[in-house]
Amino acid sequence: MAAENMVPTGGSSPVIRQLESAFTKIGVTGAHKQILALVLIGCLFDSFEQNTIGVAGPILKEHWGLTGTDIGFLNTITFGSAAVGRLLSGILGDRYGRRVMLTINLLLFTIGSAACAMAPNFTMLCFARAIVGFGVGGEISTAVTMLSEFCSPKFRGTAAGLVNVGAGGFGNFLAPAFGLLIFTLFPGENSWRWLFASLALPALLVVFYRRFVPETPRFLASKNRIGEANKVLSILASGSLKPRNLVVQEYLTTDHMTDEATEKSDWRELFRAPFIGRTIPVAIAILMSYGAQLSVLTLMPVIFVSMGYTLSGSLLYSMIIQSGSVLGAIAASMFGYYLPRKKVLTVGAALACLAAVSIVALGTNIYLVLLFGAIFQFFVLLLNTSIWIYAPELFPTRIRAFGVALILATGSAAGSFVPTISGMLFDSYGMIGVFGLAAGMYAVFAFCIQLGPETYGRSMEDLSLPAEADQPKAAQQGPVVAELRT
């Protein structure tokens, strides 16, 4: 099936070959690093925001009299609206551009956080969480798409993977510590309001600075805006997002332009061959992985309490386990440069399944539970980050934003129902139920990944062609560390 999906999608056009050549020639510059920094700051605070309900939940329960169901409903609203926000952002991003949607999504996130801080009651807090979800969902899927389109074929996997280093790795790990810091600085019954307010202000600053982030050359070229694409490529080559006396080089020419370059995006194309054969298996895979991850994140403190530990001790142990997430996301970004996508995803899923089984079978004391739990989280973030790398490479530019959004939205949707199923299994079977379900979900993940095409070293417009087939070998060589130092 993977071979059947390797069909041309326009990558053989002269403009696309010129574009691939330009990216390889430019490599990784200071301008790329500036774009990465601005995007990652936003994604870090997105992750903090997604964790705020869990962090502020005990205070809300105490001062507003909310139930556990109410707290869970707030998370359901956040993840549900995130899924919708990703889909809408993907459709609009393919039509109007990545840069526009990146700014709009972060602005929505900022407005939603401020509204949460000022919410007078539970109903208004629910509405505010919906706004936050729209912004957070669209922000991350747009960031993944955008970074993959700014970089050379070799570095694009690492760039997209770095998004999850900030969001899923450091974000999830540092969120409890960030909440504790705010509660210490602003104690009292309104401390949760200060938590939301603190998340709104840095995001507003990032909105300001993102005025300097240009549109991606791939999107501009797909819309026949060759002059603008050449300007952005020249900015990247200059090493600064605000270069002085910029000289625009003609990386792309219009001598061989075809009607294909001006083809309008049509999101319905995603549900026709060959793209539907990629979308459905990968969407199911990310549903499995996100569902397993969110279930463990939600239930680990409860599991530790059931083992006889205090709430503070349970949060500390949960953070120790989360340390594996940071390392897993970083490893995925490195593997994105060196290794084929399907190999990383298949081996990672098998080892995640094994780690889940080991927690139950070999976790006879707290130290072994923490060890295998951290290993499990390592492979969870390895897989989630690798999916973020893989997804943008499955679709051509004209439908890439919506394709990525649909896949990631499936993962967000998993957060609205899989933890509930895991909770029921925990009530009936304890840890065996939770991690047995996780192991089974990663087995399904490994099977689904086999149905998609391999994209490593392939053109982002035509999977039947090598991305660097026409590039000088010298331009293709050199490890990612050397690129990052340029």
Side-chain angles (χ1 to χ4, degrees):
M1 187 171 183
E4 295 173 356
N5 286 337
M6 302 284 263
V7 299
T9 56
S12 57
S13 72
V15 171
I16 295 303
R17 288 201 298 270
Q18 291 172 0
L19 189 61
E20 300 286 7
S21 177
F23 279 126
T24 301
K25 179 181 179 181
I26 292 170
V28 180
T29 70
H32 287 95
K33 297 173 187 177
Q34 293 170 25
I35 294 171
L36 271 169
L38 290 172
V39 171
L40 287 177
I41 290 172
C43 291
L44 177 66
F45 281 94
D46 281 353
S47 183
F48 283 179
E49 178 57 76
Q50 290 183 71
N51 283 275
T52 50
I53 294 301
V55 173
I59 298 177
L60 289 172
K61 289 178 68 175
E62 179 182 353
H63 294 287
W64 274 10
L66 301 183
T67 65
T69 301
D70 293 331
I71 300 298
F73 184 65
L74 288 172
N75 264 333
T76 298
I77 290 176
T78 304
F79 282 105
S81 61
V84 177
R86 281 178 175 171
L87 294 176
L88 183 60
S89 182
I91 293 174
L92 296 177
D94 283 329
R95 179 170 298 182
Y96 300 110
R98 294 35 166 147
R99 179 176 182 269
V100 173
M101 295 313 302
L102 193 70
T103 303
I104 290 175
N105 287 323
L106 192 55
L107 184 60
L108 282 174
F109 160 71
T110 304
I111 293 173
S113 295
C116 288
M118 297 183 291
N121 52 51
F122 179 72
T123 301
M124 293 306 298
L125 184 59
C126 289
F127 280 112
R129 294 307 298 171
I131 297 174
V132 168
F134 271 107
V136 168
E139 159 88 1
I140 292 179
S141 63
T142 302
V144 172
T145 302
M146 198 170 193
L147 289 181
S148 69
E149 292 183 348
F150 266 124
C151 298
S152 64
K154 289 291 287 182
F155 188 67
R156 71 191 183 208
T158 297
L162 284 173
V163 176
N164 212 27
V165 174
F170 284 105
N172 285 336
F173 176 67
L174 294 177
F178 181 77
L180 182 60
L181 173 64
I182 297 300
F183 294 158
T184 302
L185 294 175
F186 304 98
E189 65 180 36
N190 289 322
S191 57
W192 65 273
R193 296 186 186 275
W194 287 105
L195 178 60
F196 285 116
S198 66
L199 292 172
L201 292 177
L204 192 58
L205 291 175
V206 177
V207 170
F208 172 78
Y209 285 116
R210 280 189 183 172
R211 294 185 305 127
F212 302 112
V213 178
E215 183 55 79
T216 72
R218 285 188 183 275
F219 177 81
L220 294 171
S222 74
K223 299 299 182 182
N224 197 18
R225 294 156 62 179
I226 301 301
E228 295 176 66
N230 280 326
K231 181 179 179 180
V232 175
L233 288 169
S234 299
I235 290 174
L236 294 175
S238 75
S240 173
L241 293 181
K242 282 296 178 181
R244 296 181 179 180
N245 304 319
L246 177 69
V247 177
V248 177
Q249 299 184 45
E250 194 177 64
Y251 290 98
L252 312 180
T253 64
T254 58
D255 296 342
H256 305 286
M257 285 295 296
T258 64
D259 292 337
E260 191 167 355
T262 58
E263 186 175 358
K264 294 183 178 179
S265 63
D266 181 3
W267 61 269
R268 292 170 296 186
E269 188 179 358
L270 200 66
F271 301 99
R272 298 193 291 263
F275 304 113
I276 191 171
R278 309 168 189 177
T279 305
I280 292 179
V282 178
I284 294 174
I286 201 169
L287 187 150
M288 295 293 113
S289 187
Y290 268 51
Q293 179 197 21
L294 293 171
S295 295
V296 173
L297 284 176
T298 301
L299 293 174
M300 277 315 298
V302 178
I303 290 174
F304 283 128
V305 170
S306 72
M307 294 169 67
Y309 297 99
T310 64
L311 179 59
S312 58
S314 298
L315 291 175
L316 175 61
Y317 290 147
S318 297
M319 286 188 65
I320 292 174
I321 287 178
Q322 279 296 329
S323 64
S325 301
V326 179
L327 298 176
I330 293 173
S333 297
M334 295 178 61
F335 293 163
Y337 186 88
Y338 292 105
L339 299 175
R341 315 306 186 212
K342 290 180 65 174
K343 179 178 293 186
V344 173
L345 291 166
T346 302
V347 174
L351 293 177
C353 181
L354 180 62
V357 173
S358 298
I359 293 174
V360 177
L362 303 177
T364 55
N365 58 57
I366 187 61
Y367 302 107
L368 290 175
V369 170
L370 292 177
L371 173 62
F372 289 119
I375 293 173
F376 175 78
Q377 284 299 117
F378 173 90
F379 289 113
V380 166
L381 264 292
L382 172 73
L383 294 171
N384 287 354
T385 305
S386 297
I387 284 282
W388 288 24
I389 294 171
Y390 187 45
E393 299 176 342
L394 294 171
F395 312 104
T397 301
R398 63 182 180 272
I399 57 171
R400 180 172 297 123
F402 182 62
V404 172
L406 180 61
I407 288 174
L408 297 190
T410 306
S412 295
S416 64
F417 69 91
V418 178
T420 302
I421 298 174
S422 295
M424 296 170 60
L425 291 173
F426 176 72
D427 291 338
S428 300
Y429 304 103
M431 285 179 58
I432 295 177
V434 175
F435 288 100
L437 176 64
M441 294 177 79
Y442 281 114
V444 175
F445 180 106
F447 171 78
C448 289
I449 287 300
Q450 308 313 307
L451 304 179
E454 180 55 69
T455 60
Y456 179 70
R458 298 285 175 176
S459 168
M460 292 186 79
E461 309 304 326
D462 189 344
L463 288 180
S464 67
L465 296 177
E468 301 167 305
D470 301 322
Q471 314 307 327
K473 283 191 175 182
Q476 299 179 30
Q477 294 174 351
V480 64
V481 174
E483 287 200 41
L484 284 170
R485 290 176 178 171
T486 60

